[in-house]
Amino acid sequence: MTRTALAFVAMTFALGATKALAADATQLEINKKSVVEFYDKAINQKDFEAAAKYLGPRYTQHNPGVADGPEGLKAFLGFLREKFPGARSEIRRVFADGDYVILHVHAVREPGARGAAIVDIFKLENGKIVEHWDVRQDIPERAANANGMF
Amino acid sequence: MTRTALAFVAMTFALGATKALAADATQLEINKKSVVEFYDKAINQKDFEAAAKYLGPRYTQHNPGVADGPEGLKAFLGFLREKFPGARSEIRRVFADGDYVILHVHAVREPGARGAAIVDIFKLENGKIVEHWDVRQDIPERAANANGMF
């Protein structure tokens, strides 16, 4: 193979690798944007129809207080709307890795309450949300350090 | 600029971009490995000296039950060692994004207990752990779905 041909092969390979890595990075950003929009429509706006557009063909639920599937989410948002219409969740950090998006959230069910720290984990397939895990902890009145839970 | 020169510039740029993206991906894997090792030495082995090697010049603590800094971690591991020597934590998922590593963990303080779901978030600087947040939720006896918390 000539030097020119070798250089061409190297360039093609480098461009291919760059494109693949850049595509991965772009998909992570697209996934983050989808999850942040979904979260606001679901938890803050409590609008199931708007939120459901972000769901894939399944919505496997791991929160032990919520029934499985899109219907479980619908019932949970109905409960929030009725019992805690002023509930607000503020996303403090957003992470993405592979098919997953992770949110670190400060959730307040009633205005003025200390609220809770939550981490939500969403799995996406083809850009749609298909699975959800979360962990929730009430923020205590007193803490052993002055750094806050966020 | 000649075609050859243009091709050379394009190749150099592509190689540079590939290297930068690949270096990012490699650093994420290195960070994951460091945090997983740290977690096992700290939470399972309860060995502060071994765990402390992974810490940077600070260890800012956001867990409201633990005092700030390396000394707070040392005291917490002493508490675990004394009160819950059989406590075991199993890492179920590991994520990394930028300077952060996120662990989804099943923690059991006493053998046979249902335990808790925890998400730990670690921030790294120069490959060392400098900050920690977590959220912990006891696994309930009954759940509204059959999927488990993991």
Side-chain angles (χ1 to χ4, degrees):
Chain A
M1 211 182 277
T2 64
R3 275 197 199 168
T4 312
L6 272 174
F8 182 77
V9 168
M11 187 175 76
T12 305
F13 179 78
L15 281 169
T18 305
K19 273 188 192 169
L21 287 165
D24 288 350
T26 303
Q27 189 59 51
L28 293 179
E29 292 309 311
I30 291 170
N31 285 353
K32 283 183 184 179
K33 186 168 179 287
S34 292
V35 168
V36 166
E37 288 176 4
F38 165 79
Y39 206 79
D40 187 57
K41 289 182 197 304
I43 305 301
N44 285 329
Q45 298 179 35
K46 302 161 188 64
D47 181 344
F48 173 74
E49 297 307 324
K53 295 192 173 82
Y54 296 83
L55 299 181
R58 64 182 174 100
Y59 184 59
T60 304
Q61 181 61 259
H62 294 270
N63 178 319
V66 180
D68 202 22
E71 288 306 309
L73 176 65
K74 188 175 184 177
F76 176 66
L77 298 186
F79 157 80
L80 276 186
R81 187 181 279 274
E82 187 184 331
K83 300 288 184 187
F84 301 102
R88 293 285 306 172
S89 286
E90 188 189 347
I91 297 170
R92 304 294 289 264
R93 288 178 187 86
V94 183
F95 306 108
D97 185 354
D99 295 330
Y100 296 84
V101 173
I102 302 102
L103 305 181
H104 194 194
V105 175
H106 182 198
V108 176
R109 285 208 159 167
E110 289 176 321
R114 273 193 305 280
I118 301 178
V119 174
D120 288 280
I121 302 172
F122 294 94
K123 185 174 185 185
L124 291 91
E125 286 173 4
N126 304 313
K128 297 286 190 176
I129 298 166
V130 296
E131 197 157 3
H132 171 249
W133 301 257
D134 65 359
V135 181
R136 177 192 179 93
Q137 182 178 345
D138 287 334
I139 298 173
E141 190 177 349
R142 289 185 182 80
N145 60 66
N147 302 320
M149 280 190 80
F150 299 97
Chain B
M1 212 181 271
T2 63
R3 276 198 197 169
T4 310
L6 271 173
F8 182 75
V9 167
M11 187 176 74
T12 305
F13 179 80
L15 281 169
T18 305
K19 273 188 190 167
L21 286 165
D24 288 350
T26 302
Q27 189 60 52
L28 292 179
E29 292 310 311
I30 291 170
N31 285 353
K32 282 182 183 179
K33 185 168 180 286
S34 292
V35 168
V36 166
E37 287 176 5
F38 164 81
Y39 205 80
D40 187 57
K41 288 181 198 304
I43 304 302
N44 285 330
Q45 299 179 32
K46 301 162 189 62
D47 181 344
F48 174 74
E49 298 306 324
K53 295 192 173 81
Y54 296 83
L55 300 180
R58 66 183 173 97
Y59 185 59
T60 304
Q61 180 61 261
H62 295 270
N63 178 320
V66 179
D68 202 22
E71 288 306 309
L73 176 64
K74 188 175 185 177
F76 176 66
L77 298 186
F79 157 81
L80 276 187
R81 188 181 278 275
E82 187 185 331
K83 299 288 184 186
F84 302 101
R88 293 284 308 172
S89 285
E90 189 190 346
I91 297 170
R92 305 294 289 264
R93 288 179 187 85
V94 183
F95 306 108
D97 185 354
D99 296 330
Y100 296 84
V101 173
I102 302 102
L103 306 180
H104 194 193
V105 176
H106 181 199
V108 176
R109 285 207 158 168
E110 290 177 319
R114 274 191 306 279
I118 301 178
V119 174
D120 288 280
I121 302 172
F122 294 94
K123 185 176 185 182
L124 292 91
E125 286 173 3
N126 303 314
K128 297 285 191 176
I129 298 166
V130 296
E131 196 158 3
H132 171 249
W133 300 257
D134 66 357
V135 181
R136 179 191 179 93
Q137 181 178 345
D138 287 334
I139 298 172
E141 190 177 348
R142 288 187 183 77
N145 60 68
N147 302 320
M149 280 191 81
F150 300 97

